[in-house]
Amino acid sequence: MEKCLVRKQAQEWLASFDTKIEEQREKIKKVISANETVSIFGAYNKDFYIYGDGIYRGGQAIYKQLQLTPPGKIKEELIDTGDTFKQISFEALNDYAGDYIFLDQSYGGKLDKENSMWTSMEAVKKDRVFDLDPKRFWPYDPISVLAQSEEIADLLVSKNQEK
């Protein structure tokens, strides 16, 4: 009897999760076209990273749940291969830059936002860069992924309403 109740509660929660994610997708569709791309960058310690749709930095929320489009190189080098992150040089960030960039700076990692390589990126010029709170975007359990999806959708909607 107790197993049936737990199973029923789990099924209800999953259905609620799916409904809430679909609501976030619909919100985003109103402000971002299907051909606009989204990147996740990280400055971690002294290194720079790009992230795919895995457990890191909101990748599950951004790419798997919200189904936002990665730039071609991120899709080819990470998502299609099953890799979740890749260390790259600062100079290579532009090769992976999407129309929108989500940026994680953690464990002493800092991106030089005054550097001309950074300021030359279209997403930076158009003020489409969002800083991620590492404490909020490191977890990848279902409750965290749902909260991240909602926050990402709200950030994108808010930014596009400023136009």
Side-chain angles (χ1 to χ4, degrees), residues 49-66:
Y49 293 87
I50 54 170
Y51 298 99
D53 63 356
I55 61 172
Y56 296 104
R57 313 313 189 271
Q60 286 185 10
I62 290 170
Y63 296 127
K64 285 187 177 176
Q65 299 305 325
L66 296 175

Side-chain angles (χ1 to χ4, degrees), residues 13 16-29 31-32 38 40 53-54 56-68 102 130 132-133 136-158:
W13 191 90
S16 171
F17 177 92
D18 291 341
T19 298
K20 289 175 182 177
I21 291 293
E22 187 56 38
E23 289 169 1
Q24 301 314 307
R25 286 184 198 143
E26 289 303 314
K27 282 172 39 176
I28 291 170
K29 284 181 186 176
V31 296
I32 296 180
V38 176
I40 309 169
D53 63 356
Y56 296 104
R57 313 313 189 271
Q60 286 185 10
I62 290 170
Y63 296 127
K64 285 187 177 176
Q65 299 305 325
L66 296 175
Q67 300 174 346
L68 293 168
F102 288 90
F130 305 92
L132 298 176
D133 177 351
R136 186 152 168 90
F137 283 87
W138 276 42
Y140 53 90
D141 60 273
I143 293 168
S144 296
V145 170
L146 177 58
Q148 292 165 8
S149 298
E150 292 169 341
E151 185 170 329
I152 294 295
D154 289 345
L155 287 168
L156 292 169
V157 168
S158 175

